[in-house]
Amino acid sequence: MTRIDLHCHSTASDGTLTPAELVRAGAAAGLDVMAITDHDTTGGWQAAAEACPEGLRLVRGAELSCRWLGAEDWPIALHMLAYLFDPAEPRLAADLARLRNDREQRAEKIVRKLSADGVPITWDEVYGYAAGGSVGRPHIAQALIRAGLVRTTSEAFASRWLGARYFVPKSDLDVFEAVRAVRAAGGVTVFAHPRATVRGRVVPDELIIQLADAGLFGLEADHEDHSPAERAHVRALAGDLGLVVTGSSDFHGTHKTVQLGDYLTDPEAYEKIVSAATGVPVLG
């Protein structure tokens, strides 16, 4: 069986493996196809492509930070997986640059708040953990772990730390604008973990229907943060709307316990994604 994992992160955002290490780990895990989908950046694409082992096909993508302003005028954060888009398309490139700059400024604000309370971490340390990639809260979590204040990334994200006390909001793309921008860049979009209630509020099905009308291509159903009932719900909704269904590990290295290939995408869904995209080809 062809093993396809379409949601993986490297040190270009908040994973713990470099892009080169990520693709080698994908091959070692028996994957035939894997996607590099770092948050709001294509910064790992070149290194992953150069190191991609023979026999592994590499899907270049990104996970876009998006928002939907709900009926209660309180935005809901959501993530949109974008695959095989042209990174040089001006509109999307500008959106990604703005998101990366905002992530870095947000991280700096969080570090300043922590330092003001006497927490022994520095911006230089946090920036160093990002290794030239997109700086985010997981890198601050690494510093908190190093300082012996928390044991895990999940603990760092709890309300006592980055989840509430030291939380700083960030800018996101309007989700409809994101779908349209990816389409204009020749890519396709898949809504990441759309029913993961363990992460907080989720959007109503009515929004997903509207996104499908706007060009959304698929829904990620098989994910560690979805219960069996939530996976079934996503599959049924995708079937009703004619969207592809994907399954992915959302691998982050040691930041999470999930492993490469723990959740997989059906080859037919993968082929539909590749056929629909016109931005950049699959490598390998």
Side-chain angles (χ1 to χ4, degrees), residues 42 45 60 64 82-96 177-189 276-281:
T42 60
W45 282 18
R60 289 165 289 178
L64 308 183
Y83 297 116
L84 300 172
F85 57 87
D86 178 1
E89 197 283 322
R91 175 180 173 186
L92 185 55
D95 285 339
L96 291 176
E177 289 300 313
V179 169
R180 286 190 283 265
V182 172
R183 288 189 70 191
V188 298
T189 50
T278 60
V280 295

mmCIF file of all heavy atoms in Angstrom, residues 42 45 60 64 82-96 177-189 276-281:
data_model
loop_
_atom_site.group_PDB
_atom_site.id
_atom_site.type_symbol
_atom_site.label_atom_id
_atom_site.label_comp_id
_atom_site.label_asym_id
_atom_site.label_seq_id
_atom_site.Cartn_x
_atom_site.Cartn_y
_atom_site.Cartn_z
ATOM 1 N N THR A 42 7.519 28.885 3.393
ATOM 2 C CA THR A 42 8.076 27.907 2.461
ATOM 3 C C THR A 42 9.584 27.779 2.684
ATOM 4 O O THR A 42 10.299 27.249 1.837
ATOM 5 C CB THR A 42 7.810 28.329 0.997
ATOM 6 O OG1 THR A 42 8.432 29.611 0.755
ATOM 7 C CG2 THR A 42 6.316 28.460 0.724
ATOM 8 N N TRP A 45 11.477 24.439 2.010
ATOM 9 C CA TRP A 45 11.287 23.724 0.746
ATOM 10 C C TRP A 45 12.600 23.308 0.094
ATOM 11 O O TRP A 45 12.765 22.149 -0.303
ATOM 12 C CB TRP A 45 10.497 24.592 -0.226
ATOM 13 C CG TRP A 45 9.031 24.657 0.017
ATOM 14 C CD1 TRP A 45 8.367 24.325 1.164
ATOM 15 C CD2 TRP A 45 8.042 25.097 -0.909
ATOM 16 N NE1 TRP A 45 7.024 24.540 1.008
ATOM 17 C CE2 TRP A 45 6.791 25.008 -0.241
ATOM 18 C CE3 TRP A 45 8.072 25.567 -2.222
ATOM 19 C CZ2 TRP A 45 5.587 25.368 -0.864
ATOM 20 C CZ3 TRP A 45 6.883 25.931 -2.845
ATOM 21 C CH2 TRP A 45 5.662 25.830 -2.176
ATOM 22 N N ARG A 60 5.323 19.946 -1.671
ATOM 23 C CA ARG A 60 5.672 21.197 -1.007
ATOM 24 C C ARG A 60 4.400 21.968 -0.656
ATOM 25 O O ARG A 60 3.529 22.152 -1.504
ATOM 26 C CB ARG A 60 6.585 22.022 -1.908
ATOM 27 C CG ARG A 60 7.988 21.432 -2.027
ATOM 28 C CD ARG A 60 8.775 22.031 -3.175
ATOM 29 N NE ARG A 60 8.264 21.594 -4.458
ATOM 30 C CZ ARG A 60 8.747 22.009 -5.632
ATOM 31 N NH1 ARG A 60 9.746 22.873 -5.652
ATOM 32 N NH2 ARG A 60 8.233 21.568 -6.754
ATOM 33 N N LEU A 64 -1.393 27.455 6.745
ATOM 34 C CA LEU A 64 -1.672 28.873 6.880
ATOM 35 C C LEU A 64 -2.508 29.150 8.125
ATOM 36 O O LEU A 64 -3.507 28.474 8.386
ATOM 37 C CB LEU A 64 -2.410 29.390 5.641
ATOM 38 C CG LEU A 64 -1.771 29.086 4.280
ATOM 39 C CD1 LEU A 64 -2.569 29.731 3.168
ATOM 40 C CD2 LEU A 64 -0.311 29.544 4.250
ATOM 41 N N ALA A 82 -2.091 24.288 2.522
ATOM 42 C CA ALA A 82 -1.991 24.720 1.128
ATOM 43 C C ALA A 82 -0.915 23.884 0.446
ATOM 44 O O ALA A 82 0.214 23.798 0.940
ATOM 45 C CB ALA A 82 -1.635 26.197 1.054
ATOM 46 N N TYR A 83 -1.266 23.274 -0.669
ATOM 47 C CA TYR A 83 -0.354 22.361 -1.343
ATOM 48 C C TYR A 83 -0.016 22.832 -2.756
ATOM 49 O O TYR A 83 -0.881 23.316 -3.495
ATOM 50 C CB TYR A 83 -0.981 20.970 -1.463
ATOM 51 C CG TYR A 83 -1.268 20.292 -0.153
ATOM 52 C CD1 TYR A 83 -2.581 19.987 0.223
ATOM 53 C CD2 TYR A 83 -0.246 19.940 0.720
ATOM 54 C CE1 TYR A 83 -2.862 19.345 1.421
ATOM 55 C CE2 TYR A 83 -0.504 19.302 1.918
ATOM 56 C CZ TYR A 83 -1.816 19.017 2.265
ATOM 57 O OH TYR A 83 -2.073 18.386 3.463
ATOM 58 N N LEU A 84 1.257 22.673 -3.120
ATOM 59 C CA LEU A 84 1.729 22.767 -4.499
ATOM 60 C C LEU A 84 1.404 24.113 -5.152
ATOM 61 O O LEU A 84 1.082 24.202 -6.330
ATOM 62 C CB LEU A 84 1.140 21.609 -5.330
ATOM 63 C CG LEU A 84 1.513 20.206 -4.829
ATOM 64 C CD1 LEU A 84 0.736 19.133 -5.578
ATOM 65 C CD2 LEU A 84 3.018 19.970 -4.962
ATOM 66 N N PHE A 85 1.511 25.185 -4.370
ATOM 67 C CA PHE A 85 1.278 26.525 -4.894
ATOM 68 C C PHE A 85 2.601 27.154 -5.319
ATOM 69 O O PHE A 85 3.679 26.743 -4.870
ATOM 70 C CB PHE A 85 0.596 27.405 -3.838
ATOM 71 C CG PHE A 85 1.356 27.520 -2.539
ATOM 72 C CD1 PHE A 85 2.340 28.487 -2.362
ATOM 73 C CD2 PHE A 85 1.099 26.640 -1.493
ATOM 74 C CE1 PHE A 85 3.045 28.582 -1.172
ATOM 75 C CE2 PHE A 85 1.800 26.741 -0.291
ATOM 76 C CZ PHE A 85 2.776 27.711 -0.132
ATOM 77 N N ASP A 86 2.511 28.165 -6.161
ATOM 78 C CA ASP A 86 3.692 28.899 -6.608
ATOM 79 C C ASP A 86 4.092 29.884 -5.517
ATOM 80 O O ASP A 86 3.363 30.840 -5.241
ATOM 81 C CB ASP A 86 3.355 29.640 -7.905
ATOM 82 C CG ASP A 86 4.526 30.465 -8.422
ATOM 83 O OD1 ASP A 86 5.611 30.449 -7.801
ATOM 84 O OD2 ASP A 86 4.349 31.144 -9.449
ATOM 85 N N PRO A 87 5.255 29.708 -4.876
ATOM 86 C CA PRO A 87 5.642 30.599 -3.777
ATOM 87 C C PRO A 87 5.985 32.007 -4.236
ATOM 88 O O PRO A 87 6.086 32.918 -3.399
ATOM 89 C CB PRO A 87 6.867 29.897 -3.180
ATOM 90 C CG PRO A 87 7.458 29.154 -4.324
ATOM 91 C CD PRO A 87 6.286 28.688 -5.142
ATOM 92 N N ALA A 88 6.160 32.197 -5.542
ATOM 93 C CA ALA A 88 6.503 33.518 -6.061
ATOM 94 C C ALA A 88 5.279 34.341 -6.436
ATOM 95 O O ALA A 88 5.420 35.515 -6.819
ATOM 96 C CB ALA A 88 7.419 33.378 -7.283
ATOM 97 N N GLU A 89 4.095 33.767 -6.335
ATOM 98 C CA GLU A 89 2.880 34.516 -6.662
ATOM 99 C C GLU A 89 2.778 35.684 -5.682
ATOM 100 O O GLU A 89 2.774 35.479 -4.464
ATOM 101 C CB GLU A 89 1.670 33.595 -6.553
ATOM 102 C CG GLU A 89 0.424 34.121 -7.246
ATOM 103 C CD GLU A 89 -0.284 35.201 -6.456
ATOM 104 O OE1 GLU A 89 -0.345 35.092 -5.215
ATOM 105 O OE2 GLU A 89 -0.777 36.155 -7.090
ATOM 106 N N PRO A 90 2.729 36.930 -6.165
ATOM 107 C CA PRO A 90 2.900 38.096 -5.291
ATOM 108 C C PRO A 90 1.899 38.185 -4.140
ATOM 109 O O PRO A 90 2.287 38.524 -3.016
ATOM 110 C CB PRO A 90 2.752 39.283 -6.250
ATOM 111 C CG PRO A 90 3.110 38.734 -7.590
ATOM 112 C CD PRO A 90 2.646 37.317 -7.581
ATOM 113 N N ARG A 91 0.667 37.898 -4.402
ATOM 114 C CA ARG A 91 -0.353 38.067 -3.361
ATOM 115 C C ARG A 91 -0.114 37.130 -2.189
ATOM 116 O O ARG A 91 -0.077 37.552 -1.024
ATOM 117 C CB ARG A 91 -1.731 37.817 -3.974
ATOM 118 C CG ARG A 91 -2.878 37.829 -2.987
ATOM 119 C CD ARG A 91 -4.165 37.562 -3.756
ATOM 120 N NE ARG A 91 -5.312 37.385 -2.886
ATOM 121 C CZ ARG A 91 -6.522 37.020 -3.336
ATOM 122 N NH1 ARG A 91 -6.702 36.809 -4.628
ATOM 123 N NH2 ARG A 91 -7.527 36.885 -2.508
ATOM 124 N N LEU A 92 0.082 35.854 -2.478
ATOM 125 C CA LEU A 92 0.281 34.883 -1.410
ATOM 126 C C LEU A 92 1.636 35.079 -0.742
ATOM 127 O O LEU A 92 1.763 34.942 0.484
ATOM 128 C CB LEU A 92 0.160 33.459 -1.959
ATOM 129 C CG LEU A 92 0.222 32.331 -0.935
ATOM 130 C CD1 LEU A 92 -0.815 32.515 0.162
ATOM 131 C CD2 LEU A 92 0.036 30.975 -1.617
ATOM 132 N N ALA A 93 2.654 35.409 -1.524
ATOM 133 C CA ALA A 93 3.979 35.652 -0.943
ATOM 134 C C ALA A 93 3.931 36.802 0.063
ATOM 135 O O ALA A 93 4.555 36.739 1.131
ATOM 136 C CB ALA A 93 4.988 35.956 -2.051
ATOM 137 N N ALA A 94 3.181 37.845 -0.259
ATOM 138 C CA ALA A 94 3.052 38.983 0.655
ATOM 139 C C ALA A 94 2.299 38.581 1.916
ATOM 140 O O ALA A 94 2.655 38.998 3.029
ATOM 141 C CB ALA A 94 2.343 40.139 -0.041
ATOM 142 N N ASP A 95 1.257 37.754 1.758
ATOM 143 C CA ASP A 95 0.505 37.278 2.917
ATOM 144 C C ASP A 95 1.398 36.470 3.851
ATOM 145 O O ASP A 95 1.371 36.639 5.076
ATOM 146 C CB ASP A 95 -0.677 36.417 2.471
ATOM 147 C CG ASP A 95 -1.831 37.226 1.906
ATOM 148 O OD1 ASP A 95 -1.908 38.434 2.199
ATOM 149 O OD2 ASP A 95 -2.653 36.640 1.169
ATOM 150 N N LEU A 96 2.201 35.578 3.275
ATOM 151 C CA LEU A 96 3.081 34.741 4.093
ATOM 152 C C LEU A 96 4.140 35.580 4.803
ATOM 153 O O LEU A 96 4.453 35.333 5.974
ATOM 154 C CB LEU A 96 3.739 33.671 3.221
ATOM 155 C CG LEU A 96 2.815 32.581 2.681
ATOM 156 C CD1 LEU A 96 3.576 31.649 1.747
ATOM 157 C CD2 LEU A 96 2.196 31.781 3.817
ATOM 158 N N GLU A 177 -10.058 34.691 2.101
ATOM 159 C CA GLU A 177 -8.953 35.280 1.358
ATOM 160 C C GLU A 177 -7.826 34.267 1.163
ATOM 161 O O GLU A 177 -7.183 34.223 0.113
ATOM 162 C CB GLU A 177 -8.438 36.523 2.079
ATOM 163 C CG GLU A 177 -9.374 37.715 2.017
ATOM 164 C CD GLU A 177 -9.636 38.156 0.585
ATOM 165 O OE1 GLU A 177 -8.668 38.276 -0.184
ATOM 166 O OE2 GLU A 177 -10.807 38.367 0.235
ATOM 167 N N ALA A 178 -7.581 33.443 2.182
ATOM 168 C CA ALA A 178 -6.526 32.435 2.078
ATOM 169 C C ALA A 178 -6.846 31.420 0.983
ATOM 170 O O ALA A 178 -5.982 31.075 0.172
ATOM 171 C CB ALA A 178 -6.360 31.725 3.419
ATOM 172 N N VAL A 179 -8.072 30.935 0.967
ATOM 173 C CA VAL A 179 -8.466 29.962 -0.064
ATOM 174 C C VAL A 179 -8.318 30.570 -1.452
ATOM 175 O O VAL A 179 -7.778 29.943 -2.377
ATOM 176 C CB VAL A 179 -9.910 29.475 0.178
ATOM 177 C CG1 VAL A 179 -10.426 28.682 -1.020
ATOM 178 C CG2 VAL A 179 -9.979 28.637 1.449
ATOM 179 N N ARG A 180 -8.759 31.804 -1.613
ATOM 180 C CA ARG A 180 -8.666 32.444 -2.922
ATOM 181 C C ARG A 180 -7.211 32.703 -3.314
ATOM 182 O O ARG A 180 -6.832 32.534 -4.477
ATOM 183 C CB ARG A 180 -9.469 33.750 -2.920
ATOM 184 C CG ARG A 180 -10.978 33.533 -2.961
ATOM 185 C CD ARG A 180 -11.721 34.830 -3.204
ATOM 186 N NE ARG A 180 -11.797 35.650 -2.009
ATOM 187 C CZ ARG A 180 -12.828 35.659 -1.167
ATOM 188 N NH1 ARG A 180 -13.871 34.874 -1.394
ATOM 189 N NH2 ARG A 180 -12.831 36.457 -0.111
ATOM 190 N N ALA A 181 -6.377 33.102 -2.343
ATOM 191 C CA ALA A 181 -4.977 33.388 -2.648
ATOM 192 C C ALA A 181 -4.234 32.127 -3.073
ATOM 193 O O ALA A 181 -3.415 32.154 -4.004
ATOM 194 C CB ALA A 181 -4.298 34.021 -1.438
ATOM 195 N N VAL A 182 -4.495 31.016 -2.397
ATOM 196 C CA VAL A 182 -3.839 29.757 -2.759
ATOM 197 C C VAL A 182 -4.287 29.317 -4.151
ATOM 198 O O VAL A 182 -3.469 28.851 -4.964
ATOM 199 C CB VAL A 182 -4.129 28.671 -1.709
ATOM 200 C CG1 VAL A 182 -3.610 27.309 -2.163
ATOM 201 C CG2 VAL A 182 -3.503 29.049 -0.367
ATOM 202 N N ARG A 183 -5.566 29.463 -4.446
ATOM 203 C CA ARG A 183 -6.054 29.106 -5.781
ATOM 204 C C ARG A 183 -5.372 29.961 -6.844
ATOM 205 O O ARG A 183 -4.985 29.465 -7.910
ATOM 206 C CB ARG A 183 -7.567 29.292 -5.861
ATOM 207 C CG ARG A 183 -8.373 28.256 -5.098
ATOM 208 C CD ARG A 183 -9.846 28.387 -5.417
ATOM 209 N NE ARG A 183 -10.146 27.979 -6.772
ATOM 210 C CZ ARG A 183 -11.326 28.184 -7.375
ATOM 211 N NH1 ARG A 183 -12.296 28.823 -6.740
ATOM 212 N NH2 ARG A 183 -11.536 27.776 -8.595
ATOM 213 N N ALA A 184 -5.235 31.268 -6.568
ATOM 214 C CA ALA A 184 -4.594 32.162 -7.528
ATOM 215 C C ALA A 184 -3.135 31.791 -7.752
ATOM 216 O O ALA A 184 -2.580 32.074 -8.823
ATOM 217 C CB ALA A 184 -4.698 33.607 -7.037
ATOM 218 N N ALA A 185 -2.522 31.147 -6.737
ATOM 219 C CA ALA A 185 -1.124 30.709 -6.861
ATOM 220 C C ALA A 185 -1.011 29.290 -7.412
ATOM 221 O O ALA A 185 0.074 28.703 -7.385
ATOM 222 C CB ALA A 185 -0.441 30.792 -5.501
ATOM 223 N N GLY A 186 -2.107 28.740 -7.889
ATOM 224 C CA GLY A 186 -2.084 27.421 -8.508
ATOM 225 C C GLY A 186 -2.120 26.262 -7.535
ATOM 226 O O GLY A 186 -1.913 25.111 -7.942
ATOM 227 N N GLY A 187 -2.387 26.537 -6.258
ATOM 228 C CA GLY A 187 -2.418 25.466 -5.266
ATOM 229 C C GLY A 187 -3.816 25.024 -4.889
ATOM 230 O O GLY A 187 -4.810 25.530 -5.422
ATOM 231 N N VAL A 188 -3.875 24.070 -3.988
ATOM 232 C CA VAL A 188 -5.157 23.589 -3.472
ATOM 233 C C VAL A 188 -5.118 23.646 -1.949
ATOM 234 O O VAL A 188 -4.055 23.569 -1.327
ATOM 235 C CB VAL A 188 -5.476 22.152 -3.942
ATOM 236 C CG1 VAL A 188 -5.590 22.084 -5.450
ATOM 237 C CG2 VAL A 188 -4.424 21.167 -3.454
ATOM 238 N N THR A 189 -6.297 23.784 -1.341
ATOM 239 C CA THR A 189 -6.389 23.929 0.111
ATOM 240 C C THR A 189 -7.172 22.768 0.727
ATOM 241 O O THR A 189 -8.173 22.308 0.171
ATOM 242 C CB THR A 189 -7.079 25.255 0.496
ATOM 243 O OG1 THR A 189 -8.306 25.387 -0.243
ATOM 244 C CG2 THR A 189 -6.181 26.430 0.210
ATOM 245 N N ALA A 276 -5.208 18.624 -9.496
ATOM 246 C CA ALA A 276 -5.858 19.926 -9.436
ATOM 247 C C ALA A 276 -4.869 21.071 -9.315
ATOM 248 O O ALA A 276 -5.197 22.221 -9.632
ATOM 249 C CB ALA A 276 -6.842 19.976 -8.285
ATOM 250 N N ALA A 277 -3.651 20.795 -8.854
ATOM 251 C CA ALA A 277 -2.668 21.854 -8.593
ATOM 252 C C ALA A 277 -1.887 22.183 -9.856
ATOM 253 O O ALA A 277 -1.528 21.308 -10.637
ATOM 254 C CB ALA A 277 -1.713 21.416 -7.490
ATOM 255 N N THR A 278 -1.602 23.465 -10.032
ATOM 256 C CA THR A 278 -0.831 23.936 -11.190
ATOM 257 C C THR A 278 0.335 24.829 -10.785
ATOM 258 O O THR A 278 0.999 25.404 -11.642
ATOM 259 C CB THR A 278 -1.735 24.735 -12.159
ATOM 260 O OG1 THR A 278 -2.291 25.863 -11.467
ATOM 261 C CG2 THR A 278 -2.873 23.870 -12.687
ATOM 262 N N GLY A 279 0.592 24.954 -9.488
ATOM 263 C CA GLY A 279 1.632 25.871 -9.024
ATOM 264 C C GLY A 279 3.029 25.313 -9.159
ATOM 265 O O GLY A 279 3.850 25.818 -9.945
ATOM 266 N N VAL A 280 3.346 24.255 -8.410
ATOM 267 C CA VAL A 280 4.630 23.574 -8.518
ATOM 268 C C VAL A 280 4.359 22.075 -8.545
ATOM 269 O O VAL A 280 3.353 21.605 -8.010
ATOM 270 C CB VAL A 280 5.574 23.912 -7.330
ATOM 271 C CG1 VAL A 280 5.947 25.391 -7.350
ATOM 272 C CG2 VAL A 280 4.949 23.525 -6.005
ATOM 273 N N PRO A 281 5.244 21.295 -9.153
ATOM 274 C CA PRO A 281 5.018 19.846 -9.219
ATOM 275 C C PRO A 281 5.473 19.126 -7.959
ATOM 276 O O PRO A 281 6.230 19.662 -7.141
ATOM 277 C CB PRO A 281 5.878 19.428 -10.413
ATOM 278 C CG PRO A 281 7.031 20.396 -10.373
ATOM 279 C CD PRO A 281 6.427 21.708 -9.929
#
